Amino acid sequence: MRIRTAGVVAVLGLALAASGCGDNSKDEPAAKESPKAASGKLVIWADDKRAAALKPFGEKFGQENGVTVEVQAVSKDLQTNFVTASQQGSGPDVVVGAHDWIGNLVQNGAIDPVQLAAEQKSGFNETAVKAVTFNGQLYGVPYATENIALIRNTELAPEAPKTIEDLVATGKKLKAEKKASEILCLQSGQNGDAYHIYPLYTSGGGYLFGTAANGDYDPKDLGVGKPESIAAFQKIAKLGEKGEGALKRSITGENSIATFTGKKCAFLVSGPWAIADAKKANISYDISPVPGFAGGKEAQPFVGVQAFYVAAKGQNKALAQEFVANYVTKPELAVALYQAEPRPPALTAAFDQVKGTDPDLGKFQEAGKNGHVLPAIPAMAAIWDPFGKAEAAVIGGADPATTITSAGKTIAGQIK
C-alpha cells in the first residue's frame, strides 16, 4: 500500500552494494555506444515483487546481449539506498521506482535522461509520460500507473455514493444497524497521510502548488496556508473525530485494508494494491471514484507512475539505456510486472492485453482520469510531514485555520 513519508532521510547503513566492471570512462553519449560491446554486467535494483518478475526477463536480455544481468531486491528504503550508493559509486545501472523520486534523484545527480523515440513515447499513457518528464526532459520509462479510488463492499453498500455526505449517511446507518463498526476506512494515523486525504482536500478547494505557464508545478505558488486550504480543512474537520466520526486517527496504513476486509467498514479509500486482500477475503466489491463534498469541486486523487531509471553513475550506462528504451517498452515485460502486482500498465498495448481479464483496471483508471500528477519537484518533500501532521490534528479536533496556517509557514520555510 502507499504510505508517504517526509522524503529522503539519512541512511544508517546500506543494505546492498552492487558493482560492475564495464568501461564508463568514455565521454561519448551512451545512446551511440553498441550495447553488445559493453563488458561486465547490468545490475538492476527493484523491490521484492518487481525483482522476482524481472529476473527471467533480465536473464533473457543478458543472453541476447552477451552480458550478465543481476536483478537485486532491495526491500527497504530503495530510493535512499540508491542515492547513497550512487554517491559512493557502488550503485546499480538501473533502478525501478516511483516517478515522484525524480526531482530528488536529478537534484542529487543520480539519474540520466532516457532516450525514447517519438513513436515509442506515443505508445504510453499520456499522463505517464508527463509524470516522468522533468525540466523538459524524459527521465524514466513508465511501466504502470496508480491512483486511489473508493473500494466498496457491495453487500453492505450496493450503490456507489455520489457525495461524501451520502457515504457518511450510509456508513452511519450501517453502524446503527451494527453491520459495521467504522463509517470509512481512509488511513490517517497520528501523523496523517497527505496522499490519501488529497481527493477530499481538492474537493474542498485546496491545492498544493500552482502551475507555471508551461504546466509544470510552481514551488513559489504554495497553496497550503492560503484561504482555499483553510476552507478545505474546515470541511474535512466536520468529518473528523469531533464531527461525523468518519475520519479517525485510529485508521492507519497498517489496519485500513484489514478493517475493510474484516467487514468492519463498507468503504475503503485505497489503490490497486488493496485488491488482492479483498479477493482473498471473498469480499464482494466494486470500485468507483472517491466522492467529493456536495456542492464542492471534483475529488481528484494523485496519479502516480512506476518507472525504470538509468543510473547516472552506473558502470554500464549504454547497456542500461538499451534495456530501458528497447526492452522495458515491450508489452511482455509490462504484462509480467502487472501480474506480479496488478496496477494499470502504462504501455497501451500491455493495458489492452490485460484489461479484458481484469475489469478493475478500467475502474481505477476511470477514478484517476482527472487526477493530478503527483508532484515530482524537490519542494514536494517539504509537504508530506507538515501537511500530514496538520491533517491528523484537524481530524482530532484542532482548529483548521490556525493549524493549516502554521503548516503553510513551516512548508514555505523548508522550501526556501
Side-chain angles (χ1 to χ4, degrees), residues 76-373:
K76 287 186 67 177
D77 298 326
L78 177 53
Q79 180 186 183
T80 308
N81 282 335
F82 171 61
V83 171
T84 302
S86 176
Q87 292 169 344
Q88 295 174 348
S90 59
D93 302 291
V94 175
V95 67
V96 185
H99 87 270
D100 57 297
W101 296 4
I102 292 177
N104 178 58
L105 297 183
V106 172
Q107 195 173 50
N108 280 280
I111 58 174
D112 280 341
V114 298
Q115 311 302 322
L116 288 188
E119 184 179 353
Q120 288 177 303
K121 285 185 185 180
S122 67
F124 287 94
N125 176 302
E126 187 177 340
T127 300
V129 174
K130 180 180 178 182
V132 294
T133 301
F134 183 76
N135 288 341
Q137 294 195 79
L138 192 74
Y139 273 96
V141 175
Y143 79 83
T145 63
E146 60 186 14
N147 56 266
I148 56 177
L150 182 70
I151 304 170
R152 183 179 85 259
N153 182 325
T154 54
E155 290 183 359
L156 295 175
E159 301 295 326
K162 293 181 179 179
T163 65
I164 194 69
E165 289 85 357
D166 290 341
L167 183 154
V168 169
T170 300
K172 291 177 75 172
K173 183 173 181 291
L174 291 169
K175 279 190 69 175
E177 295 171 349
K178 300 193 181 302
K179 293 180 180 179
S181 57
E182 301 290 348
I183 295 171
L184 170 64
C185 286
L186 188 155
Q187 65 187 61
S188 167
Q190 296 300 318
N191 292 316
D193 189 308
Y195 184 78
H196 285 80
I197 201 67
Y198 188 72
L200 294 181
Y201 178 68
T202 58
S203 179
Y207 71 99
L208 295 182
F209 298 107
T211 52
N214 64 356
D216 290 346
Y217 286 110
D218 181 3
K220 295 179 182 178
D221 182 3
L222 176 66
V224 184
K226 290 187 176 177
E228 298 94 330
S229 67
I230 294 171
F233 269 99
Q234 286 170 339
K235 289 179 178 290
I236 289 169
K238 293 178 182 178
L239 301 176
E241 293 167 13
K242 294 190 176 180
E244 299 285 6
L247 298 175
K248 298 168 69 173
R249 290 169 294 177
S250 58
I251 301 296
T252 70
E254 288 70 38
N255 65 28
S256 61
I257 295 173
T259 304
F260 175 76
T261 57
K263 299 184 179 181
K264 295 177 181 177
C265 68
F267 302 103
L268 169 68
V269 172
S270 192
W273 50 87
I275 296 302
D277 287 347
K279 288 180 176 178
K280 187 177 179 180
N282 293 316
I283 300 292
S284 297
Y285 67 88
D286 201 0
I287 300 163
S288 56
V290 176
F293 292 102
K297 296 185 177 181
E298 179 182 21
Q300 296 174 288
F302 281 129
V303 176
V305 170
Q306 296 290 323
F308 286 75
Y309 304 107
V310 172
K313 299 178 182 177
Q315 299 298 305
N316 234 328
K317 293 169 68 170
L319 199 63
Q321 287 283 355
E322 172 71 12
F323 181 78
V324 301
N326 297 319
Y327 213 71
V328 173
T329 51
K330 293 183 177 181
E332 296 85 354
L333 179 55
V335 170
L337 288 167
Y338 155 79
Q339 291 170 340
E341 189 174 38
R343 303 182 189 208
L347 192 64
T348 304
F351 182 87
D352 290 343
Q353 277 189 39
V354 300
K355 69 179 181 181
T357 57
D358 188 352
D360 293 345
L361 288 182
K363 292 176 181 179
F364 271 111
Q365 194 174 62
E366 178 68 20
K369 71 176 182 178
N370 293 322
H372 292 161
V373 172

